[in-house]
Amino acid sequence: AMEAIEAAIRAGGGSEIASSRIGALAMAALREIDQIAYIRFASVYQSFEDLATPKREVDEVVAEMESGGGKRRRTGVVAEA
């Protein structure tokens, strides 16, 4: 996943990149390869302040998995964020 994140950053060109862009790419990669790690990272990165916000994130991940859109294994490619 790191290689895909680095490639996405390089493809964007420029000599600087916002940390928010790196965070978004990391969240997209985690969402694809490890849903639990994604929720953990997102809860800190997005500063969840109440229980409703992480619940919505979990509900979205579960819905994706049930519709066949989410990965169940720990392998995958980073999605463009």
Side-chain angles (χ1 to χ4, degrees), residues 3-40:
E3 293 84 14
I5 292 171
E6 289 176 9
I9 291 169
R10 285 192 189 102
S15 60
E16 294 184 19
I17 182 167
S19 60
S20 60
R21 175 82 173 123
I22 296 170
L25 289 167
M27 284 194 358
L30 284 172
R31 190 173 186 136
E32 289 293 315
I33 60 175
D34 187 334
Q35 292 81 24
I36 298 298
Y38 163 75
I39 295 298
R40 289 178 177 159

Side-chain angles (χ1 to χ4, degrees), residues 7-81:
I9 291 169
R10 285 192 189 102
S15 60
E16 294 184 19
I17 182 167
S19 60
S20 60
R21 175 82 173 123
I22 296 170
L25 289 167
M27 284 194 358
L30 284 172
R31 190 173 186 136
E32 289 293 315
I33 60 175
D34 187 334
Q35 292 81 24
I36 298 298
Y38 163 75
I39 295 298
R40 289 178 177 159
F41 182 81
S43 70
V44 174
Y45 181 74
Q46 295 181 345
S47 300
F48 293 165
E49 295 182 9
D50 60 20
L51 291 176
T53 306
K55 182 181 181 315
R56 273 193 304 272
E57 290 291 330
V58 170
D59 290 345
E60 287 179 19
V61 170
V62 169
E64 284 178 11
M65 289 177 63
E66 289 174 349
S67 70
K71 305 282 188 264
R72 292 183 186 262
R73 295 172 297 170
R74 291 183 174 245
T75 60
V77 178
V78 65
E80 184 64 27

